[in-house]
Amino acid sequence: MTEQDATKSVEREKVRFTSGDTECAAWYYPGTNGACVIMAGGFAVPKEPATDLFAKRFNDAGFAVLAFDYRRLGESGGEPRLVFPMRDQLGDWQAAIDFAGTLPGVDPARLAVWAFSASGGHVFRVAARNPQLGAAIAQTPNPDGSAAGRNAVRHQKPLAMLRFTGRGLLDALGSLVGRPPRLVPLTGKPGTVVMLTTPDTLDGDRALRSDRYPDWTQMVAARSALRLTLYRPGRDVSKVRCPLLVFVCDQDQVSPVEPCVRAASRAPRGELVRISGRHYAPFLEKHEQAVEAQLSFLRRHLLDPARVDRPAHADPARH
């Protein structure tokens, strides 16, 4: 069951689709070439700051886009807010894929998925479970939560890390008796009790243009942040049957580079693009390079070659 809100613009319209026992909110950008890119935000990042920049560029190139909020985040339903079990986020992806195939003008055989950071890790598992997908893009993904967690510890002070872990454990125990979530900020300086303190998290506000989205609290349930360190979706990459683009930044300290490189090498149809820059470079100084590489990939794998308007210049990405 789906419904469309009255909220519309020339370029996109608000839609909703059922996932679990509630509904997910999404922006739908109608396209012109029959293909559709399904997008979600990063971990606890709503659809607008996470996808607006790339969604517009994909849509300008003719692709339909469905950019959604996970349950308990942004404009989607679900309680308690800011609690993100991995199984629920994966369920939201499945519901979004099923819904996208029903949208007017969308060919269900030409669907792609796109996400970055922790959600980029979901791309591996989602693509493995959906062999019918035409393509998948994992931008600065997190295929191995334990590796990312070990790296994060290097940039945090021991006492603050202990307090974070304790808050996560208390939050998990409290959830068993119905207590409200204990929240932590997504990012902060070393020594503060937050999810991430790596140097490149300081680029996040500028990259995601958080000042434009005052309703975004930039918090997450401590238990969800703690469990992320146990999540290893890269284990599924060998089961991905569609073309998979893994887009990596060489100075990334949020999503370590080597697990991403290994994931790309293990995918049967994996492609790796490496550029210089930190975690948010694709949103900032390397945005044009990232968009051009990703559009090139989408055109090659989703469009009939006879209909492709190929750029005259070479792909600037370094493979």
Side-chain angles (χ1 to χ4, degrees):
M1 177 181 179
T2 63
E3 73 177 58
Q4 297 204 3
D5 292 341
T7 306
K8 293 186 178 182
S9 71
V10 174
E11 296 181 342
R12 64 185 187 179
E13 60 182 290
K14 192 70 63 63
V15 296
R16 305 183 76 87
F17 57 88
T18 299
S19 184
D21 58 358
T22 188
E23 289 184 322
C24 290
W27 284 115
Y28 171 52
Y29 302 69
T32 59
N33 63 25
C36 181
V37 184
I38 303 156
M39 310 177 73
F43 191 72
V45 182
K47 59 188 180 300
E48 290 84 3
T51 69
D52 276 3
L53 279 177
F54 282 88
K56 185 178 188 309
R57 297 295 297 276
F58 295 161
N59 189 237
D60 287 347
F63 294 90
V65 173
L66 181 71
F68 71 94
D69 280 326
Y70 293 117
R71 277 176 274 178
R72 308 183 191 91
L73 178 66
E75 296 178 305
S76 290
E79 295 288 342
R81 306 301 287 177
L82 305 178
V83 176
F84 305 117
M86 296 302 174
R87 64 181 180 276
D88 286 359
Q89 291 196 337
L90 292 168
D92 296 342
W93 271 107
Q94 193 62 55
I97 291 169
D98 294 343
F99 176 65
T102 71
L103 290 167
V106 171
D107 181 352
R110 292 197 283 168
L111 302 179
V113 292
W114 179 103
F116 81 102
S117 201
S119 283
H122 285 327
V123 164
F124 301 131
R125 189 153 288 177
V126 169
R129 294 178 178 181
N130 289 272
Q132 80 279 13
L133 289 173
I137 298 175
Q139 177 177 291
T140 59
N142 184 357
D144 187 341
S146 60
R150 290 192 299 272
N151 185 69
V153 168
R154 296 174 51 241
H155 301 280
Q156 179 60 292
K157 296 182 179 180
L159 180 58
M161 181 58 68
L162 287 173
R163 291 175 62 197
F164 167 75
T165 302
R167 188 170 299 183
L169 294 173
L170 288 174
D171 186 33
L173 291 172
S175 70
L176 300 177
V177 293
R179 292 183 179 175
R182 294 172 180 255
L183 303 179
V184 294
L186 295 178
T187 63
K189 295 180 180 180
T192 57
V193 181
V194 299
M195 189 172 94
L196 280 172
T197 59
T198 57
D200 41 1
T201 60
L202 299 177
D203 301 329
D205 282 344
R206 186 164 56 97
L208 302 178
R209 304 178 298 172
S210 59
D211 58 316
R212 301 190 183 190
Y213 311 105
D215 293 335
W216 178 27
T217 60
Q218 300 194 53
M219 304 282 282
V220 65
R223 63 181 181 265
S224 296
L226 188 61
R227 286 171 180 160
L228 187 60
T229 62
L230 304 176
Y231 185 51
R232 303 183 71 183
R235 290 178 170 181
D236 289 355
V237 73
S238 63
K239 303 174 186 176
V240 175
R241 293 294 173 258
C242 70
L244 170 66
L245 175 64
V246 182
F247 195 92
V248 176
C249 294
D250 280 338
Q251 288 75 46
D252 195 332
Q253 297 182 73
V254 174
S255 300
V257 173
E258 288 310 312
C260 298
V261 174
R262 287 195 298 270
S265 69
R266 292 177 55 224
R269 302 177 67 186
E271 300 180 28
L272 175 68
V273 173
R274 297 179 67 164
I275 64 171
S276 63
R278 305 205 295 185
H279 188 65
Y280 289 105
F283 289 89
L284 296 169
E285 74 275 11
K286 296 300 177 67
H287 183 60
E288 289 301 319
Q289 189 171 354
V291 168
E292 290 187 21
Q294 293 175 26
L295 278 175
S296 173
F297 174 81
L298 291 171
R299 288 180 176 123
R300 280 188 286 117
H301 296 294
L302 293 185
L303 302 185
D304 181 339
R307 297 172 57 191
V308 175
D309 181 18
R310 297 188 184 276
H313 55 280
D315 187 339
R318 176 162 55 88
H319 293 260

